[in-house]
Amino acid sequence: MSARSIAADVASGARSAASVLDEHLARVREREEEIHAFNLVTEEKARSQADAVDAAVAAGDPVGPLAGVPLALKDNMCTRGIPTTCSSKILEGWRPPYDATVVSRLADAGAVFVGKTNLDEFAMGSSTENSAFGPTRNPLDTGRVPGGSSGGSAAAVAANFAPLAIGSDTGGSIRQPAAFCGIVGMKPTYGAVSRYGLIAFGSSLDQFGPFATDVADAAALYDVIAGHDPLDSTSITDFTPNAVDHLSRGVQGLRVGVVRELSGGAGSVEGLSADVLARTNEAVEALAAAGAIVEEVSVPSATLGLSAYYIVAPAEASSNLARYDGVRYGLRVDAPTTGEMNTATRTAGFGAEVKRRIMLGTYALSAGYYDAFYGKALKVRTMMLRDFASVYENFDVLITPTAPTTAFPFGERSSDPMTMYVNDVCTIPSNLTGHPGISVPFGVGDDGLPVGVQVLAPALADGLTFQVAAVLEAAANAGGAT
Amino acid sequence: MSPHEPTLPDEWELVVGLEVHVELATRTKLFCGCANEFSTDPNTNVCPVCLGLPGSLPVMNGKAVDYAMKLGRALGCEVHGSVMARKNYFYPDMAKDYQTTQYDKPTSMDGELVLSDGAVVGIERAHIEEDAGKTTHIGGGGRINDAMFSLVDYNRAGVPLVEVVSRPDIRTIDHAKAYVNELRDILLAIEVSDAKMEEGSMRVDANVSVRPVGSEELRTRCELKNINSVRSMGRAIEYEAQRHVDLYNSGEAPRQETRHWDEDGGRSTPGRSKEDADDYRYFQEPDLVPLEPSAADVAAIDASLPVLPAARRARLADLSGVGPDVLSTVVERGQDGLALDAIEAGADADKVLTRLQNDVAVDDWSNLTPPLLAALIRMETSGELTATQAKQVLSDMVESGGDPATIASGRGFEAMESNELEGLVDQLIADNPDEWIRFTSGDDGEQKKMQGFFTGQIMKATNGQADGRAIAQLLAAKGS
């Protein structure tokens, strides 16, 4: 059942929020042990929120657009008084004294928080295998990963533990797990959604965004969480989200570019599997059939994104994660001196991937290496911004696959960071440019697992991504995808 | 300037640059809404932002930026677009384990500070940054290495600072002191800081090196920390410079390092080793947007600046012949407006300024209006009042108001007729023949001493009503 019909039923009194919650918690009890979508199920919190919604409905008071809708929160979102771990031992047991702005907005909208979802530690990963608390399994095939880093949120929606979830996307961490789990996931324009209370990984790249089972629900959730926040200096001012308004606009006359370098064309990145490319082509054909003007387009610098990203994101992370030093909160491993205590705490508290990225980033920013690494990555970023800006002079949106493959089996890539990093090749460019992107399911691969197609648009054209995704979704449901 | 300038051996020259951290007197901290007030109970004036809690984000305090630009313009700097940067290093009182500061694009660059004697010290930059918390080491003599444990108070974390970095243009200790005093006067004049060194709202670090006179090289410098008064700074620089000279003379050389000034011991000791702390991995702060003041913003800052101390001193200097010390004191106390109006009203400029410097060293002189001050000075210059009487009348005027003529007659002050005074002088010479001979035939020192003796006797006999200058003239006339 969609989030919008739940909200409508709850608001009209046709169903109670409490009964909606019970149904979802029943499914959690049934499958959570197997899936491990959550680090924490917040049943008590959810019940009090559901009761409050029901009381408001009974009293005839106005309720929010997400009244009574169960929702899962990625465990890197600060929730007041509720443990927030980033799936890291270093933050185990920490209870933030404040709510993220997005959390407050969702609570005000009447959402019911069912739990905090698992992720790759500090959102560093593409499979949720890097969680300190064990991996999340893909509900569609529990032998496979759900993607990452927001694997817990994607799995929670795919398993119908909640119709909606929030993830964060630094290099594809919403879109890739959405593709792997057969749901919709969207990364907003940088600055469209407040980062206040988002535990930072790569500050210039991170954005919260919605997961839902369909495009319309994702748009409704986006409209609740987006908009200016004075607590985030990088938040866009004078921006009114209107994704839902875009849903039925169609693609007649829209100029759609297929990015050659990310879609198996000339000069394309390697490793894009044939079934994924076939579904992407069918998606493009579906848009043409719906009236869009489709053309192949070249964005040469798009292939440099991966290298630039794996400098910029770890560099920012090396600084952002310095504060986990054992002094103020979270884990502390005692040692004779402060410096030794810092080292012992960080050695015990961080997992291998986090340590790898802290070292990468520290190195990239160090005197003597800055220009060759961080400085150069910033130049690539500027170049990509310029290239995409010039492409968007002639195109309204761009199409690529979301991920190179469908969901892969556990362990297949976790031993080799480089093959894992390649997962993000199609999603990373829009993090570096700050542009919006959405992943929408479009058919299945040779293994029967879902394929996601990605729609990219220029900054602030978030509504347009939902508009095109709605057309793709309709085509896929009508059998346009094989 | 102080007449006593401690000096290095002749062949050595002192080279000093000063880094001054100024706490801005904003109502709230640099990046959050916490009060800029840290004398309260430890860790009570804190929030997720200044504690650097996971997920928190900074928001720039616009007032702090205005204050920083104001200071930049007051120091004659170019003020332009700037970006915040992260300076990464681990320290327990640094909540985020990086300091948000400015690096390659500071708010203010390339200015100068004109000292009260006209000397010019270049300003390299003045940048905005946040303060850290305060660590107290318990046990082991309060030093980090020996402490049993340490307590951290984050009330001060996130307090807005501007760091003013001078060029290494300072060559004497007196100029170093004058620089700090001048900077303090500017801060007070533009009202961006209370600039109290003793309370830490103005903190001075001194970069000290020496070089052979005539050389233009910059030799290895040491950075002195823990200086908490202007006097202490003078001692620290003097000690450090001599230490460098001694090292060079014994065939050694100082190491570049941060040193801790020990005021009680009167010496500097090696501080934190810079070996592993030099690479701060600066990069642009992604959580804040660049500061981009428009030309109109800078023009508005300029328009808001008061006349600065140097210009105020220059105005007085144009009208008078007094020395720089007098000008500094009067301007520092904010009595220059009063002086200018009194001079305008016809009073003798030098007399006005010296009287203010010597006799109105009080916080509240509101009873003293320009016409009343001018009237008093005129009475003194015309000989109606002696210097001593003028001083007493002035004191009454400051204390309780009123015009000088009324106060003078109330006190029974009437200038002594000159023939009456001459009679007294003759009588005194006759009564003290030995002293008179010493006055007329002694050397300069002796003569001076005896002039003091005769003047004192006459003042005693007249209850201070005689005019000191008239006595001196009479004595000189009779002795020649």
Side-chain angles (χ1 to χ4, degrees):
Chain A
M1 193 171 193
S2 73
R4 48 197 195 286
S5 45
I6 292 173
D9 285 358
V10 168
S12 70
R15 301 177 65 196
S16 71
S19 68
V20 171
L21 175 62
D22 283 339
E23 286 167 26
H24 287 86
L25 287 176
R27 280 192 288 271
V28 171
R29 273 190 288 275
E30 203 178 307
R31 286 199 78 190
E32 169 61 5
E33 200 173 330
E34 176 192 20
I35 306 293
H36 186 216
F38 294 105
N39 286 336
L40 180 70
V41 175
T42 52
E43 183 170 342
E44 200 181 322
K45 171 83 179 170
R47 289 206 183 280
S48 77
Q49 285 177 311
D51 291 347
V53 168
D54 288 335
V57 171
D61 293 339
V63 291
L66 300 179
V69 179
L71 185 143
L73 298 169
K74 189 173 181 178
D75 202 18
N76 62 352
M77 311 179 74
C78 287
T79 43
R80 188 170 174 207
I82 297 171
T84 300
T85 66
C86 285
S87 290
S88 180
K89 278 191 268 181
I90 212 154
L91 268 180
E92 206 172 354
W94 181 60
R95 292 166 191 262
Y98 72 105
D99 276 329
T101 298
V102 167
V103 171
S104 306
R105 289 193 182 187
L106 290 167
D108 291 346
V112 171
F113 301 152
V114 292
K116 303 294 293 287
T117 63
N118 196 15
L119 62 149
D120 286 297
E121 185 178 1
F122 283 101
M124 297 178 187
S126 308
S127 66
T128 318
E129 290 170 288
N130 295 334
S131 167
F133 309 130
T136 296
R137 297 180 177 277
N138 191 321
L140 307 177
D141 178 348
T142 53
R144 295 181 185 247
V145 303
S149 66
S150 310
S153 286
V157 171
N160 205 2
F161 294 164
L164 300 177
I166 300 292
S168 68
D169 190 315
T170 306
S173 282
I174 292 173
R175 291 161 287 166
Q176 183 254 22
F180 280 16
C181 291
I183 61 172
V184 176
M186 191 267 180
K187 184 205 86 88
T189 295
Y190 186 78
V193 177
S194 170
R195 290 186 297 118
Y196 192 76
L198 163 54
I199 298 181
F201 159 20
S203 309
S204 73
L205 307 158
D206 297 338
Q207 274 287 284
F208 282 135
F211 282 108
T213 53
D214 65 23
V215 176
D217 272 5
L221 179 52
Y222 171 88
D223 282 349
V224 168
I225 62 174
H228 180 64
D229 177 14
L231 296 178
D232 175 358
S233 308
T234 61
S235 166
I236 298 163
T237 50
D238 305 324
F239 172 66
T240 309
N242 58 351
V244 169
D245 297 345
H246 281 78
L247 290 172
S248 54
R249 290 187 188 175
V251 293
Q252 185 66 45
L254 218 60
R255 299 163 303 168
V256 176
V258 182
V259 182
R260 182 191 296 163
E261 289 82 359
L262 301 176
S263 303
S268 174
V269 294
E270 289 170 15
L272 304 176
S273 68
D275 52 354
V276 168
L277 289 175
R279 293 303 88 73
T280 307
N281 286 335
E282 288 160 17
V284 170
E285 283 161 19
L287 290 176
I293 304 155
V294 179
E295 228 181 285
E296 193 177 76
V297 61
S298 173
V299 188
S301 59
T303 59
L304 302 174
L306 197 65
S307 311
Y309 175 85
Y310 277 98
I311 298 292
V312 172
E316 293 181 4
S318 72
S319 174
N320 285 328
L321 272 62
R323 70 190 67 189
Y324 307 105
D325 57 9
V327 173
R328 289 161 296 273
Y329 44 77
L331 183 70
R332 175 186 290 182
V333 178
D334 276 320
T337 69
T338 308
E340 286 161 3
M341 183 277 285
N342 293 152
T343 304
T345 298
R346 292 165 69 80
T347 300
F350 288 137
E353 182 63 24
V354 171
K355 286 175 186 161
R356 183 179 297 124
R357 297 201 195 188
I358 289 173
M359 286 188 281
L360 267 175
T362 302
Y363 188 77
L365 286 172
S366 292
Y369 300 100
Y370 181 99
D371 291 340
F373 293 102
Y374 189 70
K376 193 161 253 176
L378 293 185
K379 282 182 187 145
V380 169
R381 207 171 174 178
T382 306
M383 189 161 46
M384 288 179 72
L385 265 169
R386 202 184 53 212
D387 283 3
F388 275 97
S390 91
V391 168
Y392 283 126
E393 283 173 18
N394 300 311
F395 293 89
D396 298 301
V397 294
L398 301 175
I399 301 290
T400 75
T402 303
T405 64
T406 56
F408 47 84
F410 283 99
E412 188 184 275
R413 305 186 179 196
S414 49
S415 56
D416 179 359
M418 289 312 290
T419 61
M420 186 70 89
Y421 293 174
V422 169
N423 250 283
D424 303 327
V425 70
C426 298
T427 45
I428 273 173
S430 49
N431 295 89
L432 288 168
T433 58
H435 294 165
I438 195 167
S439 177
V440 60
F442 203 86
V444 294
D446 296 344
D447 50 14
L449 288 166
V451 169
V453 169
Q454 181 177 226
V455 181
L456 302 173
L460 295 174
D462 298 38
L464 198 53
T465 66
F466 289 101
Q467 183 179 329
V468 175
V471 171
L472 289 174
E473 179 179 68
N477 290 342
T482 54
Chain B
M1 294 298 107
S2 143
H4 175 66
E5 165 75 347
T7 47
L8 290 174
D10 282 346
E11 62 276 24
W12 292 96
E13 180 175 56
L14 178 65
V15 177
V16 173
L18 296 176
E19 294 175 11
V20 182
H21 283 88
V22 175
E23 271 172 11
L24 299 179
T26 52
R27 198 173 54 77
T28 55
K29 291 185 180 181
L30 188 54
F31 299 129
C32 61
C34 290
N36 179 5
E37 166 62 58
F38 45 90
S39 55
T40 50
D41 286 345
N43 297 312
T44 53
N45 233 331
V46 293
C47 74
V49 175
C50 55
L51 283 176
L53 293 188
S56 66
L57 294 171
V59 177
M60 182 59 88
N61 180 337
K63 199 74 177 173
V65 177
D66 284 350
Y67 280 9
M69 293 198 294
K70 213 168 163 183
L71 176 54
R73 294 302 288 169
L75 294 172
C77 292
E78 290 170 31
V79 167
H80 37 54
S82 58
V83 299
M84 303 306 293
R86 292 187 185 178
K87 180 180 183 180
N88 295 287
Y89 65 99
F90 284 89
Y91 206 78
D93 60 21
M94 186 74 79
K96 297 167 294 184
D97 285 304
Y98 59 80
Q99 181 188 30
T100 305
T101 177
Q102 294 181 324
Y103 181 50
D104 52 353
K105 288 176 186 157
T107 293
S108 306
M109 289 177 83
D110 294 329
E112 59 181 39
L113 192 61
V114 181
L115 306 185
S116 52
D117 68 352
V120 176
V121 177
I123 303 293
E124 188 180 305
R125 55 190 276 143
H127 64 258
I128 302 171
E129 63 186 27
E130 62 177 333
D131 209 343
K134 191 175 186 331
T135 306
T136 307
H137 302 296
I138 307 296
R143 295 292 293 268
I144 185 168
N145 292 335
D146 308 314
M148 289 175 63
F149 59 93
S150 304
L151 300 171
V152 189
D153 174 10
Y154 293 99
N155 283 346
R156 203 180 65 183
V159 162
L161 301 176
V162 169
E163 181 177 352
V164 180
V165 181
S166 88
R167 297 193 188 282
D169 290 350
I170 297 168
R171 298 286 172 270
T172 67
I173 289 168
D174 281 345
H175 273 171
K177 291 178 177 173
Y179 175 92
V180 173
N181 287 331
E182 188 65 22
L183 182 56
R184 190 195 58 220
D185 289 351
I186 289 173
L187 291 166
L188 295 176
I190 65 176
E191 298 178 310
V192 301
S193 173
D194 62 8
K196 289 180 181 157
M197 255 183 110
E198 293 72 14
E199 292 175 20
S201 59
M202 183 167 158
R203 306 196 280 271
V204 180
D205 299 334
N207 285 301
V208 178
S209 65
V210 299
R211 66 186 176 195
V213 168
S215 157
E216 288 300 313
E217 69 182 320
L218 290 174
R219 291 200 172 186
T220 304
R221 65 177 193 272
C222 290
E223 184 181 1
L224 294 171
K225 289 188 178 289
N226 195 42
I227 292 169
N228 45 32
S229 69
V230 172
R231 187 176 163 273
S232 159
M233 176 185 72
R235 293 183 68 203
I237 294 173
E238 186 177 11
Y239 172 89
E240 188 63 19
Q242 190 59 55
R243 194 180 71 84
H244 285 214
V245 168
D246 292 346
L247 282 169
Y248 287 124
N249 284 342
S250 63
E252 293 174 76
R255 289 194 315 163
Q256 181 163 339
E257 62 186 356
T258 299
R259 295 180 68 86
H260 183 91
W261 173 247
D262 172 5
E263 178 68 19
D264 294 336
R267 65 201 178 101
S268 69
T269 55
R272 182 163 51 96
S273 158
K274 283 220 153 187
E275 272 165 47
D276 53 4
D278 265 335
D279 191 354
Y280 292 118
R281 291 174 285 118
Y282 285 99
F283 70 103
Q284 184 172 336
E285 167 59 272
D287 289 333
L288 289 166
V289 292
L291 301 168
E292 286 159 347
S294 65
D297 293 337
V298 177
I301 293 284
D302 286 348
S304 77
L305 285 179
V307 182
L308 295 173
R312 286 159 60 188
R313 285 194 307 265
R315 220 154 65 180
L316 293 178
D318 286 346
L319 299 170
S320 71
V322 300
D325 280 6
V326 179
L327 299 175
S328 294
T329 309
V330 170
V331 167
E332 207 171 293
R333 287 196 205 131
Q335 295 169 336
D336 47 328
L338 172 62
L340 285 170
D341 290 346
I343 294 165
E344 174 85 358
D348 178 77
D350 289 11
K351 204 80 185 164
V352 166
L353 293 168
T354 47
R355 274 274 162 260
L356 285 173
Q357 185 209 16
N358 294 331
D359 305 320
V360 193
V362 294
D363 290 334
D364 179 11
W365 62 88
S366 56
N367 285 329
L368 201 58
T369 65
L372 292 175
L373 176 60
L376 171 80
I377 300 299
R378 272 197 305 269
M379 287 173 75
E380 188 183 353
T381 42
S382 70
E384 276 177 70
L385 291 176
T386 67
T388 316
Q389 289 170 336
K391 193 172 168 150
Q392 286 171 344
V393 172
L394 181 56
S395 161
D396 289 356
M397 290 166 72
V398 170
E399 183 74 19
S400 31
D403 78 278
T406 312
I407 294 170
S409 73
R411 274 183 170 265
F413 292 162
E414 284 155 48
M416 195 168 276
E417 293 298 326
S418 59
N419 55 357
E420 197 182 336
L421 183 62
E422 190 170 356
L424 273 174
V425 170
D426 289 339
Q427 184 61 48
L428 207 55
I429 290 171
D431 291 349
N432 301 282
D434 292 348
E435 283 79 2
W436 181 244
I437 289 165
R438 283 165 66 189
F439 176 77
T440 51
S441 49
D443 59 17
D444 277 2
E446 193 72 1
Q447 195 169 34
K448 210 166 192 169
K449 212 156 121 193
M450 287 305 107
Q451 178 171 330
F453 166 77
F454 285 111
T455 307
Q457 291 296 313
I458 291 168
M459 286 297 179
K460 205 164 148 191
T462 63
N463 288 322
Q465 291 192 36
D467 180 350
R469 275 187 313 177
I471 298 168
Q473 281 164 11
L474 278 169
L475 288 171
K478 289 179 189 298
S480 61

